[in-house]
Amino acid sequence: MKESYTKKHQLKNIWHKYQITRWIIVTILSFIFIVSAYCTYVAKTTDVRNLQSSLEKSTVIYDANNNNAGKIYSQKGTYVGYKNISSNLPNAILSTEDRNFYHEYGFSVKGFSRAMLSVAKNKIMHRNYISGGGSTLTQQLVKNAYLTQEQTFSRKLKELFLSIQVENIYSKKSILTMYMNNAYFGNGVYGVQDASKRYFGMDAKDLPIQDAAVIAGMLTNPSAYNPVDHPGLAFQRRNTVLQLMVENGKLTQATANNLKKMPIHVVNDYKYTDSYKYPYYFDSVIDEAINQYGLSESDIMNRGYKIYTNLNQNQQSNMQNDFANDSMFPSNASDGTKVQAASVAVNPSNGGVSAVVGGRGEHVFRGYNRATQIKRQPGSTMKPLAVYTPALQNGYNYDSTLVNKKLSYGKNKYTPENYGNSYTGSVPMYKALADSMNAPAVWLLNKIGANEGYQSVKSFGLPIHKSDNNLALALGGLSSGVSPQQMAGAYTAFANNGNMTTPHYIRKIVDSSGKVIVNNDQNQSKKIMSKKVAQQMTSMMLGVFNNGTGVGAKPYGYQIAGKTGSTEADNTGDSDATRDKWIIGYTPKVVVATWEGFDNTNKNHHLENLSGNGVGPLFRNEMQHILPNAGDNKFDVQDAQTQYEDEHQPKAKKSQSGIWHDVQEGASNFTNNVGKGFNSLKKGASDLFNSAKKYINQ
């Protein structure tokens, strides 16, 4: 007994000596201060002043010409003012959700106390949520507008402080109006106006008491109490709301009793307009806003932003139509799996993406976008980046002679093969590129050094690793792969006289109050090569579509430069099986990269024809739609083969060749103008006639 007393006495002395009670109080107060300071900071830095304007407006996407291209939203209905809402609705909602709304300042002391007690209870029971909590109507508005639906103590605190901030700025009537327009009522419907249309076929301002009670009753559980899916539960819930209105003094008992007997008549007059017209483009805009500018998906969808983009609506619509046309693609696999594809069009002068489609079939919101997300081997489309550009930079010329033999390199005896195992001993560089020969490309990379190619690819901004620093790089052998958008970005350097631009979608973002929060209008470019080298590369790549592997993909009446590519499909048992097919083409005004293949390649899911021309019809059709309205697509350089013939043929032949080139150019102008109307057709015919007459008079 004495020993126990001594221990207690010692403990008391220690407690007093070190002032433990005081330290406990200081710790608790410090914790409260820190939490309060943090929540106050969150409330003050959240742009509450824009709440009403952001709820009233949908986020609008504008195209490159500042024309409205569509809207994106999730929690948006038709916003109506308080005077356009029947008084029966606020009476029913306040009677059900928050009778003390006009007597509270954003939160309920009793409700918040219950939330605090539930925290302690759930912590003891190892539950990481708050059960109950008596949220006020203002808190519900804040939760829907700014916070997640996660039921945690930290979220509850933020909700409380934000509610106070909202009450500081807005009147009770404004808060109630925002709440009624932002609430969810099931079946994808937000706001009392659209709910009135969806369930009763009338405007919110005309809603009678019994129907207003149905809508108010849905707020607790929209999926369970809506009269379409659960008419019995909706009837019971409506009568409960009517009784609550009696208790709140908004209805007499006699009136309520009469209304409780009335059946619920559902009339659907709600018309949903899908303004998400360009799904892959809009997805990419959202992704860029999130990944580059730090906005959240919820903010983008619901804050009423104006997002100005590089979209060309004509190009985008045509590209989507091409992807919807099954005749543009190879047949499905035997099990019905579609051959997939992706395309992207980029303005080389500023990097603006004017059109993008990321796949075939049904679109999933912010789903897999093959134009921006796939990682596939680029095949021979890598040759201009890894081999021919650095070769020109190291003293080679467009007509330099390359060895075209089947050779082995290094200790591992790496032996590249030409398609069809065809070799000519030697070949000029421009022809090796146009015909996509593998052996001379690897020979050339070996001559200039694999590291030169590695550094060149790196300068083009493609994802490349140290393990890629080898001769296989010449044929597109990458450890991680690339997307069509990345390849299109790299090729902007050729189209833009050696200056590479980065593909992007957004030019500017303006919030609902008119404040510019993102400005990306400056054209930023990176010098990759000299103008001379870029022009030599274009000269060689014109041959790809004039007389090389891309002839079948050339748009009628236009000159384009670029490269085709394909990769082998391993373990299929088919020597001609192909995993990926690529075509990248450009003019001074646009770069288009198109990929085709199966998402998962195996013996039952692969393409045929390793030459890479299978994707030609799709690419050609895309270019046929894009080029007529893209501006001046003419190059300042000749096709390398024509240039070579002009420089090396005897004078008499050279004269004939030049005349024939004029005739060809006249024919090209004629074909080009066929699609531009009758007046242009006459001009094209005149060009052709004059060129032919010039030839005859020689």
Side-chain angles (χ1 to χ4, degrees), residues 378-385 388 432-438 474 487 491 494 537 540-542 544-545 548-550 560-566 581-586 592-594 611-612 615 619:
S380 292
T381 59
M382 183 61 76
K383 289 173 182 174
L385 315 178
Y388 296 113
L433 190 157
D435 291 344
S436 200
M437 298 178 181
N438 292 336
M487 291 303 291
Y491 271 67
F494 301 123
M537 287 300 304
M540 290 195 291
M541 284 193 279
L542 280 166
V544 171
F545 292 96
T549 56
I560 63 169
K563 189 71 186 74
T564 64
S566 58
K581 289 182 180 180
W582 295 81
I583 297 183
I584 305 171
Y586 66 90
V592 176
T594 298
S611 64
V615 73
F619 178 85

mmCIF file of all heavy atoms in Angstrom, residues 378-385 388 432-438 474 487 491 494 537 540-542 544-545 548-550 560-566 581-586 592-594 611-612 615 619:
data_model
loop_
_atom_site.group_PDB
_atom_site.id
_atom_site.type_symbol
_atom_site.label_atom_id
_atom_site.label_comp_id
_atom_site.label_asym_id
_atom_site.label_seq_id
_atom_site.Cartn_x
_atom_site.Cartn_y
_atom_site.Cartn_z
ATOM 1 N N PRO A 378 9.217 1.599 -85.047
ATOM 2 C CA PRO A 378 8.890 2.436 -86.202
ATOM 3 C C PRO A 378 9.355 1.892 -87.541
ATOM 4 O O PRO A 378 9.060 2.471 -88.584
ATOM 5 C CB PRO A 378 9.597 3.756 -85.882
ATOM 6 C CG PRO A 378 10.784 3.327 -85.083
ATOM 7 C CD PRO A 378 10.333 2.148 -84.264
ATOM 8 N N GLY A 379 10.115 0.777 -87.535
ATOM 9 C CA GLY A 379 10.591 0.220 -88.791
ATOM 10 C C GLY A 379 11.418 1.216 -89.578
ATOM 11 O O GLY A 379 12.188 2.010 -89.019
ATOM 12 N N SER A 380 11.240 1.205 -90.892
ATOM 13 C CA SER A 380 12.085 2.029 -91.767
ATOM 14 C C SER A 380 11.790 3.515 -91.697
ATOM 15 O O SER A 380 12.525 4.319 -92.284
ATOM 16 C CB SER A 380 11.938 1.545 -93.217
ATOM 17 O OG SER A 380 12.505 0.251 -93.361
ATOM 18 N N THR A 381 10.711 3.920 -91.006
ATOM 19 C CA THR A 381 10.496 5.361 -90.842
ATOM 20 C C THR A 381 11.590 5.973 -89.968
ATOM 21 O O THR A 381 11.704 7.201 -89.904
ATOM 22 C CB THR A 381 9.119 5.657 -90.210
ATOM 23 O OG1 THR A 381 9.029 5.032 -88.932
ATOM 24 C CG2 THR A 381 7.986 5.151 -91.105
ATOM 25 N N MET A 382 12.401 5.109 -89.334
ATOM 26 C CA MET A 382 13.514 5.598 -88.527
ATOM 27 C C MET A 382 14.734 5.943 -89.385
ATOM 28 O O MET A 382 15.598 6.721 -88.958
ATOM 29 C CB MET A 382 13.893 4.539 -87.486
ATOM 30 C CG MET A 382 15.004 4.937 -86.531
ATOM 31 S SD MET A 382 14.589 6.380 -85.541
ATOM 32 C CE MET A 382 13.480 5.637 -84.353
ATOM 33 N N LYS A 383 14.823 5.403 -90.584
ATOM 34 C CA LYS A 383 16.026 5.591 -91.413
ATOM 35 C C LYS A 383 16.379 7.061 -91.657
ATOM 36 O O LYS A 383 17.548 7.442 -91.540
ATOM 37 C CB LYS A 383 15.863 4.848 -92.740
ATOM 38 C CG LYS A 383 15.917 3.336 -92.609
ATOM 39 C CD LYS A 383 15.584 2.647 -93.928
ATOM 40 C CE LYS A 383 15.584 1.131 -93.769
ATOM 41 N NZ LYS A 383 15.120 0.437 -94.986
ATOM 42 N N PRO A 384 15.404 7.923 -92.004
ATOM 43 C CA PRO A 384 15.778 9.335 -92.192
ATOM 44 C C PRO A 384 16.352 9.985 -90.936
ATOM 45 O O PRO A 384 17.216 10.873 -91.032
ATOM 46 C CB PRO A 384 14.447 9.995 -92.584
ATOM 47 C CG PRO A 384 13.642 8.882 -93.179
ATOM 48 C CD PRO A 384 14.000 7.677 -92.373
ATOM 49 N N LEU A 385 15.893 9.552 -89.763
ATOM 50 C CA LEU A 385 16.341 10.159 -88.509
ATOM 51 C C LEU A 385 17.672 9.599 -88.043
ATOM 52 O O LEU A 385 18.536 10.339 -87.560
ATOM 53 C CB LEU A 385 15.285 9.924 -87.414
ATOM 54 C CG LEU A 385 13.817 10.165 -87.777
ATOM 55 C CD1 LEU A 385 12.927 9.836 -86.589
ATOM 56 C CD2 LEU A 385 13.601 11.610 -88.202
ATOM 57 N N TYR A 388 20.182 8.753 -92.540
ATOM 58 C CA TYR A 388 20.429 9.656 -93.662
ATOM 59 C C TYR A 388 20.665 11.100 -93.241
ATOM 60 O O TYR A 388 21.509 11.788 -93.828
ATOM 61 C CB TYR A 388 19.281 9.546 -94.673
ATOM 62 C CG TYR A 388 19.221 8.164 -95.285
ATOM 63 C CD1 TYR A 388 18.161 7.306 -95.031
ATOM 64 C CD2 TYR A 388 20.268 7.703 -96.083
ATOM 65 C CE1 TYR A 388 18.118 6.028 -95.572
ATOM 66 C CE2 TYR A 388 20.242 6.426 -96.633
ATOM 67 C CZ TYR A 388 19.166 5.590 -96.369
ATOM 68 O OH TYR A 388 19.146 4.324 -96.900
ATOM 69 N N ALA A 432 18.334 4.266 -102.320
ATOM 70 C CA ALA A 432 18.293 3.368 -101.159
ATOM 71 C C ALA A 432 17.188 3.796 -100.196
ATOM 72 O O ALA A 432 16.486 2.955 -99.620
ATOM 73 C CB ALA A 432 19.643 3.365 -100.449
ATOM 74 N N LEU A 433 17.013 5.119 -100.045
ATOM 75 C CA LEU A 433 15.966 5.614 -99.156
ATOM 76 C C LEU A 433 14.585 5.406 -99.775
ATOM 77 O O LEU A 433 13.676 4.886 -99.122
ATOM 78 C CB LEU A 433 16.193 7.101 -98.857
ATOM 79 C CG LEU A 433 15.316 7.729 -97.757
ATOM 80 C CD1 LEU A 433 15.994 8.969 -97.175
ATOM 81 C CD2 LEU A 433 13.930 8.125 -98.258
ATOM 82 N N ALA A 434 14.422 5.789 -101.054
ATOM 83 C CA ALA A 434 13.117 5.699 -101.700
ATOM 84 C C ALA A 434 12.597 4.270 -101.739
ATOM 85 O O ALA A 434 11.403 4.022 -101.543
ATOM 86 C CB ALA A 434 13.186 6.269 -103.113
ATOM 87 N N ASP A 435 13.497 3.317 -101.980
ATOM 88 C CA ASP A 435 13.097 1.908 -102.062
ATOM 89 C C ASP A 435 13.213 1.191 -100.721
ATOM 90 O O ASP A 435 13.004 -0.024 -100.650
ATOM 91 C CB ASP A 435 13.946 1.189 -103.111
ATOM 92 C CG ASP A 435 13.636 1.652 -104.527
ATOM 93 O OD1 ASP A 435 12.570 2.279 -104.707
ATOM 94 O OD2 ASP A 435 14.446 1.406 -105.438
ATOM 95 N N SER A 436 13.566 1.933 -99.676
ATOM 96 C CA SER A 436 13.644 1.410 -98.308
ATOM 97 C C SER A 436 14.521 0.164 -98.206
ATOM 98 O O SER A 436 14.135 -0.855 -97.617
ATOM 99 C CB SER A 436 12.238 1.100 -97.773
ATOM 100 O OG SER A 436 12.248 1.051 -96.369
ATOM 101 N N MET A 437 15.722 0.248 -98.769
ATOM 102 C CA MET A 437 16.664 -0.877 -98.708
ATOM 103 C C MET A 437 17.324 -0.929 -97.330
ATOM 104 O O MET A 437 17.778 0.090 -96.812
ATOM 105 C CB MET A 437 17.730 -0.730 -99.797
ATOM 106 C CG MET A 437 17.175 -0.739 -101.206
ATOM 107 S SD MET A 437 18.484 -0.500 -102.435
ATOM 108 C CE MET A 437 17.529 -0.515 -103.962
ATOM 109 N N ASN A 438 17.385 -2.108 -96.772
ATOM 110 C CA ASN A 438 17.942 -2.271 -95.424
ATOM 111 C C ASN A 438 19.462 -2.350 -95.420
ATOM 112 O O ASN A 438 20.131 -1.723 -94.586
ATOM 113 C CB ASN A 438 17.370 -3.529 -94.771
ATOM 114 C CG ASN A 438 15.889 -3.403 -94.471
ATOM 115 O OD1 ASN A 438 15.371 -2.293 -94.329
ATOM 116 N ND2 ASN A 438 15.203 -4.523 -94.398
ATOM 117 N N ALA A 474 19.243 1.529 -87.249
ATOM 118 C CA ALA A 474 18.993 1.948 -88.630
ATOM 119 C C ALA A 474 17.649 1.466 -89.138
ATOM 120 O O ALA A 474 17.009 2.120 -89.965
ATOM 121 C CB ALA A 474 20.107 1.435 -89.540
ATOM 122 N N MET A 487 6.436 10.435 -83.774
ATOM 123 C CA MET A 487 7.069 10.389 -85.091
ATOM 124 C C MET A 487 6.679 11.608 -85.924
ATOM 125 O O MET A 487 7.516 12.177 -86.633
ATOM 126 C CB MET A 487 6.675 9.102 -85.813
ATOM 127 C CG MET A 487 7.267 7.843 -85.194
ATOM 128 S SD MET A 487 9.077 7.859 -85.103
ATOM 129 C CE MET A 487 9.528 7.737 -86.839
ATOM 130 N N TYR A 491 9.274 14.460 -87.617
ATOM 131 C CA TYR A 491 9.291 14.804 -89.043
ATOM 132 C C TYR A 491 8.961 16.274 -89.306
ATOM 133 O O TYR A 491 9.142 16.749 -90.435
ATOM 134 C CB TYR A 491 8.323 13.901 -89.804
ATOM 135 C CG TYR A 491 8.958 12.609 -90.290
ATOM 136 C CD1 TYR A 491 9.381 11.632 -89.391
ATOM 137 C CD2 TYR A 491 9.144 12.356 -91.647
ATOM 138 C CE1 TYR A 491 9.957 10.453 -89.813
ATOM 139 C CE2 TYR A 491 9.719 11.177 -92.095
ATOM 140 C CZ TYR A 491 10.129 10.219 -91.163
ATOM 141 O OH TYR A 491 10.709 9.044 -91.601
ATOM 142 N N PHE A 494 11.893 18.164 -90.886
ATOM 143 C CA PHE A 494 12.113 18.129 -92.337
ATOM 144 C C PHE A 494 11.179 19.104 -93.043
ATOM 145 O O PHE A 494 11.572 19.779 -93.982
ATOM 146 C CB PHE A 494 11.880 16.710 -92.872
ATOM 147 C CG PHE A 494 12.761 15.667 -92.249
ATOM 148 C CD1 PHE A 494 12.211 14.563 -91.621
ATOM 149 C CD2 PHE A 494 14.138 15.787 -92.283
ATOM 150 C CE1 PHE A 494 13.010 13.593 -91.046
ATOM 151 C CE2 PHE A 494 14.962 14.824 -91.709
ATOM 152 C CZ PHE A 494 14.397 13.726 -91.083
ATOM 153 N N MET A 537 17.104 16.155 -97.490
ATOM 154 C CA MET A 537 16.294 15.043 -96.986
ATOM 155 C C MET A 537 14.921 15.042 -97.656
ATOM 156 O O MET A 537 14.413 13.994 -98.067
ATOM 157 C CB MET A 537 16.138 15.135 -95.475
ATOM 158 C CG MET A 537 17.384 14.785 -94.682
ATOM 159 S SD MET A 537 17.959 13.100 -94.983
ATOM 160 C CE MET A 537 16.506 12.152 -94.567
ATOM 161 N N MET A 540 15.151 13.718 -101.189
ATOM 162 C CA MET A 540 15.214 12.248 -101.235
ATOM 163 C C MET A 540 13.877 11.615 -100.882
ATOM 164 O O MET A 540 13.460 10.623 -101.480
ATOM 165 C CB MET A 540 16.304 11.744 -100.287
ATOM 166 C CG MET A 540 17.717 12.060 -100.750
ATOM 167 S SD MET A 540 18.961 11.106 -99.855
ATOM 168 C CE MET A 540 18.856 11.816 -98.224
ATOM 169 N N MET A 541 13.189 12.198 -99.898
ATOM 170 C CA MET A 541 11.935 11.583 -99.452
ATOM 171 C C MET A 541 10.767 11.868 -100.389
ATOM 172 O O MET A 541 9.727 11.204 -100.296
ATOM 173 C CB MET A 541 11.618 12.024 -98.018
ATOM 174 C CG MET A 541 12.484 11.308 -96.985
ATOM 175 S SD MET A 541 11.911 11.501 -95.282
ATOM 176 C CE MET A 541 12.561 13.115 -94.892
ATOM 177 N N LEU A 542 10.910 12.826 -101.326
ATOM 178 C CA LEU A 542 9.911 12.974 -102.376
ATOM 179 C C LEU A 542 9.867 11.717 -103.235
ATOM 180 O O LEU A 542 8.808 11.306 -103.725
ATOM 181 C CB LEU A 542 10.232 14.193 -103.246
ATOM 182 C CG LEU A 542 9.832 15.564 -102.685
ATOM 183 C CD1 LEU A 542 10.506 16.681 -103.466
ATOM 184 C CD2 LEU A 542 8.315 15.737 -102.729
ATOM 185 N N VAL A 544 10.135 8.706 -102.295
ATOM 186 C CA VAL A 544 9.386 7.615 -101.661
ATOM 187 C C VAL A 544 7.994 7.509 -102.273
ATOM 188 O O VAL A 544 7.500 6.403 -102.548
ATOM 189 C CB VAL A 544 9.289 7.837 -100.132
ATOM 190 C CG1 VAL A 544 8.328 6.842 -99.501
ATOM 191 C CG2 VAL A 544 10.664 7.735 -99.493
ATOM 192 N N PHE A 545 7.352 8.663 -102.531
ATOM 193 C CA PHE A 545 5.990 8.660 -103.059
ATOM 194 C C PHE A 545 5.945 8.776 -104.585
ATOM 195 O O PHE A 545 4.933 8.436 -105.200
ATOM 196 C CB PHE A 545 5.182 9.793 -102.425
ATOM 197 C CG PHE A 545 4.930 9.588 -100.953
ATOM 198 C CD1 PHE A 545 5.757 10.164 -100.003
ATOM 199 C CD2 PHE A 545 3.884 8.790 -100.514
ATOM 200 C CE1 PHE A 545 5.531 9.962 -98.647
ATOM 201 C CE2 PHE A 545 3.649 8.580 -99.172
ATOM 202 C CZ PHE A 545 4.478 9.161 -98.228
ATOM 203 N N GLY A 548 8.992 5.217 -105.162
ATOM 204 C CA GLY A 548 9.474 4.266 -104.166
ATOM 205 C C GLY A 548 8.355 3.483 -103.502
ATOM 206 O O GLY A 548 7.295 3.230 -104.098
ATOM 207 N N THR A 549 8.545 3.146 -102.244
ATOM 208 C CA THR A 549 7.605 2.273 -101.529
ATOM 209 C C THR A 549 6.268 2.941 -101.225
ATOM 210 O O THR A 549 5.313 2.260 -100.862
ATOM 211 C CB THR A 549 8.226 1.799 -100.207
ATOM 212 O OG1 THR A 549 8.599 2.955 -99.433
ATOM 213 C CG2 THR A 549 9.448 0.928 -100.446
ATOM 214 N N GLY A 550 6.183 4.254 -101.378
ATOM 215 C CA GLY A 550 4.942 4.954 -101.052
ATOM 216 C C GLY A 550 4.109 5.360 -102.249
ATOM 217 O O GLY A 550 3.151 6.129 -102.105
ATOM 218 N N ILE A 560 4.179 14.987 -102.118
ATOM 219 C CA ILE A 560 4.456 14.873 -100.689
ATOM 220 C C ILE A 560 5.749 14.108 -100.493
ATOM 221 O O ILE A 560 6.158 13.307 -101.344
ATOM 222 C CB ILE A 560 3.313 14.172 -99.914
ATOM 223 C CG1 ILE A 560 3.135 12.733 -100.375
ATOM 224 C CG2 ILE A 560 2.022 14.947 -100.024
ATOM 225 C CD1 ILE A 560 2.216 11.930 -99.461
ATOM 226 N N ALA A 561 6.398 14.371 -99.383
ATOM 227 C CA ALA A 561 7.629 13.669 -99.017
ATOM 228 C C ALA A 561 7.358 12.868 -97.749
ATOM 229 O O ALA A 561 6.384 13.130 -97.029
ATOM 230 C CB ALA A 561 8.758 14.667 -98.787
ATOM 231 N N GLY A 562 8.226 11.924 -97.487
ATOM 232 C CA GLY A 562 8.046 11.145 -96.263
ATOM 233 C C GLY A 562 8.658 9.767 -96.362
ATOM 234 O O GLY A 562 9.564 9.532 -97.168
ATOM 235 N N LYS A 563 8.133 8.848 -95.559
ATOM 236 C CA LYS A 563 8.737 7.512 -95.488
ATOM 237 C C LYS A 563 7.694 6.492 -95.060
ATOM 238 O O LYS A 563 6.807 6.785 -94.249
ATOM 239 C CB LYS A 563 9.899 7.521 -94.481
ATOM 240 C CG LYS A 563 10.729 6.257 -94.486
ATOM 241 C CD LYS A 563 11.573 6.139 -95.728
ATOM 242 C CE LYS A 563 12.299 4.786 -95.779
ATOM 243 N NZ LYS A 563 11.370 3.685 -96.118
ATOM 244 N N THR A 564 7.829 5.292 -95.616
ATOM 245 C CA THR A 564 7.030 4.153 -95.171
ATOM 246 C C THR A 564 7.878 3.300 -94.244
ATOM 247 O O THR A 564 9.103 3.427 -94.193
ATOM 248 C CB THR A 564 6.567 3.293 -96.360
ATOM 249 O OG1 THR A 564 7.729 2.726 -96.993
ATOM 250 C CG2 THR A 564 5.780 4.114 -97.362
ATOM 251 N N GLY A 565 7.217 2.409 -93.523
ATOM 252 C CA GLY A 565 7.951 1.509 -92.632
ATOM 253 C C GLY A 565 7.098 0.328 -92.237
ATOM 254 O O GLY A 565 5.867 0.389 -92.270
ATOM 255 N N SER A 566 7.733 -0.754 -91.882
ATOM 256 C CA SER A 566 7.015 -1.935 -91.401
ATOM 257 C C SER A 566 7.943 -2.747 -90.513
ATOM 258 O O SER A 566 9.165 -2.593 -90.556
ATOM 259 C CB SER A 566 6.510 -2.789 -92.569
ATOM 260 O OG SER A 566 7.598 -3.179 -93.400
ATOM 261 N N LYS A 581 2.653 -1.378 -89.622
ATOM 262 C CA LYS A 581 2.846 -0.662 -90.878
ATOM 263 C C LYS A 581 2.724 0.836 -90.599
ATOM 264 O O LYS A 581 1.818 1.264 -89.886
ATOM 265 C CB LYS A 581 1.821 -1.088 -91.925
ATOM 266 C CG LYS A 581 2.062 -2.492 -92.454
ATOM 267 C CD LYS A 581 1.056 -2.852 -93.529
ATOM 268 C CE LYS A 581 1.314 -4.271 -94.040
ATOM 269 N NZ LYS A 581 0.344 -4.662 -95.088
ATOM 270 N N TRP A 582 3.635 1.588 -91.176
ATOM 271 C CA TRP A 582 3.680 3.028 -90.955
ATOM 272 C C TRP A 582 3.752 3.770 -92.283
ATOM 273 O O TRP A 582 4.398 3.310 -93.229
ATOM 274 C CB TRP A 582 4.934 3.422 -90.169
ATOM 275 C CG TRP A 582 5.044 2.928 -88.767
ATOM 276 C CD1 TRP A 582 5.444 1.688 -88.350
ATOM 277 C CD2 TRP A 582 4.797 3.682 -87.579
ATOM 278 N NE1 TRP A 582 5.457 1.621 -86.987
ATOM 279 C CE2 TRP A 582 5.067 2.824 -86.479
ATOM 280 C CE3 TRP A 582 4.376 4.989 -87.321
ATOM 281 C CZ2 TRP A 582 4.927 3.251 -85.155
ATOM 282 C CZ3 TRP A 582 4.237 5.409 -86.016
ATOM 283 C CH2 TRP A 582 4.511 4.543 -84.943
ATOM 284 N N ILE A 583 3.125 4.924 -92.344
ATOM 285 C CA ILE A 583 3.401 5.910 -93.389
ATOM 286 C C ILE A 583 3.422 7.282 -92.725
ATOM 287 O O ILE A 583 2.485 7.654 -92.016
ATOM 288 C CB ILE A 583 2.355 5.907 -94.519
ATOM 289 C CG1 ILE A 583 2.350 4.563 -95.248
ATOM 290 C CG2 ILE A 583 2.664 7.015 -95.518
ATOM 291 C CD1 ILE A 583 1.388 4.505 -96.426
ATOM 292 N N ILE A 584 4.511 8.002 -92.966
ATOM 293 C CA ILE A 584 4.620 9.385 -92.498
ATOM 294 C C ILE A 584 4.869 10.246 -93.723
ATOM 295 O O ILE A 584 5.829 10.011 -94.471
ATOM 296 C CB ILE A 584 5.763 9.564 -91.480
ATOM 297 C CG1 ILE A 584 5.590 8.592 -90.314
ATOM 298 C CG2 ILE A 584 5.799 11.007 -90.973
ATOM 299 C CD1 ILE A 584 6.776 8.541 -89.380
ATOM 300 N N GLY A 585 3.986 11.187 -93.969
ATOM 301 C CA GLY A 585 4.132 12.056 -95.123
ATOM 302 C C GLY A 585 3.965 13.514 -94.733
ATOM 303 O O GLY A 585 3.296 13.826 -93.747
ATOM 304 N N TYR A 586 4.559 14.386 -95.536
ATOM 305 C CA TYR A 586 4.475 15.809 -95.193
ATOM 306 C C TYR A 586 4.582 16.705 -96.416
ATOM 307 O O TYR A 586 5.094 16.317 -97.478
ATOM 308 C CB TYR A 586 5.555 16.180 -94.173
ATOM 309 C CG TYR A 586 6.984 16.081 -94.672
ATOM 310 C CD1 TYR A 586 7.625 17.169 -95.285
ATOM 311 C CD2 TYR A 586 7.728 14.912 -94.512
ATOM 312 C CE1 TYR A 586 8.933 17.092 -95.722
ATOM 313 C CE2 TYR A 586 9.046 14.820 -94.937
ATOM 314 C CZ TYR A 586 9.646 15.913 -95.549
ATOM 315 O OH TYR A 586 10.942 15.822 -95.994
ATOM 316 N N VAL A 592 1.580 14.212 -91.509
ATOM 317 C CA VAL A 592 0.608 13.191 -91.113
ATOM 318 C C VAL A 592 1.339 11.878 -90.871
ATOM 319 O O VAL A 592 2.084 11.405 -91.738
ATOM 320 C CB VAL A 592 -0.488 12.997 -92.179
ATOM 321 C CG1 VAL A 592 -1.433 11.855 -91.785
ATOM 322 C CG2 VAL A 592 -1.281 14.282 -92.371
ATOM 323 N N ALA A 593 1.136 11.302 -89.696
ATOM 324 C CA ALA A 593 1.714 9.993 -89.359
ATOM 325 C C ALA A 593 0.568 9.015 -89.129
ATOM 326 O O ALA A 593 -0.347 9.287 -88.352
ATOM 327 C CB ALA A 593 2.580 10.095 -88.110
ATOM 328 N N THR A 594 0.632 7.873 -89.821
ATOM 329 C CA THR A 594 -0.424 6.863 -89.722
ATOM 330 C C THR A 594 0.196 5.501 -89.429
ATOM 331 O O THR A 594 1.167 5.102 -90.087
ATOM 332 C CB THR A 594 -1.244 6.793 -91.024
ATOM 333 O OG1 THR A 594 -1.879 8.059 -91.242
ATOM 334 C CG2 THR A 594 -2.309 5.718 -90.950
ATOM 335 N N SER A 611 6.132 -5.163 -97.249
ATOM 336 C CA SER A 611 6.586 -3.961 -97.955
ATOM 337 C C SER A 611 6.022 -2.682 -97.370
ATOM 338 O O SER A 611 6.526 -1.607 -97.620
ATOM 339 C CB SER A 611 6.198 -4.045 -99.439
ATOM 340 O OG SER A 611 4.787 -4.054 -99.579
ATOM 341 N N GLY A 612 4.953 -2.776 -96.605
ATOM 342 C CA GLY A 612 4.479 -1.588 -95.886
ATOM 343 C C GLY A 612 3.428 -0.776 -96.598
ATOM 344 O O GLY A 612 3.043 0.289 -96.139
ATOM 345 N N VAL A 615 -1.214 0.134 -95.609
ATOM 346 C CA VAL A 615 -1.880 1.266 -94.976
ATOM 347 C C VAL A 615 -2.114 2.412 -95.973
ATOM 348 O O VAL A 615 -2.697 3.424 -95.631
ATOM 349 C CB VAL A 615 -1.021 1.744 -93.773
ATOM 350 C CG1 VAL A 615 0.234 2.456 -94.241
ATOM 351 C CG2 VAL A 615 -1.833 2.616 -92.839
ATOM 352 N N PHE A 619 -4.043 6.326 -95.672
ATOM 353 C CA PHE A 619 -3.185 7.513 -95.678
ATOM 354 C C PHE A 619 -3.504 8.409 -96.870
ATOM 355 O O PHE A 619 -3.609 9.637 -96.741
ATOM 356 C CB PHE A 619 -1.715 7.091 -95.711
ATOM 357 C CG PHE A 619 -0.759 8.242 -95.772
ATOM 358 C CD1 PHE A 619 -0.351 8.887 -94.614
ATOM 359 C CD2 PHE A 619 -0.269 8.706 -96.993
ATOM 360 C CE1 PHE A 619 0.518 9.971 -94.672
ATOM 361 C CE2 PHE A 619 0.593 9.782 -97.062
ATOM 362 C CZ PHE A 619 0.996 10.409 -95.893
#
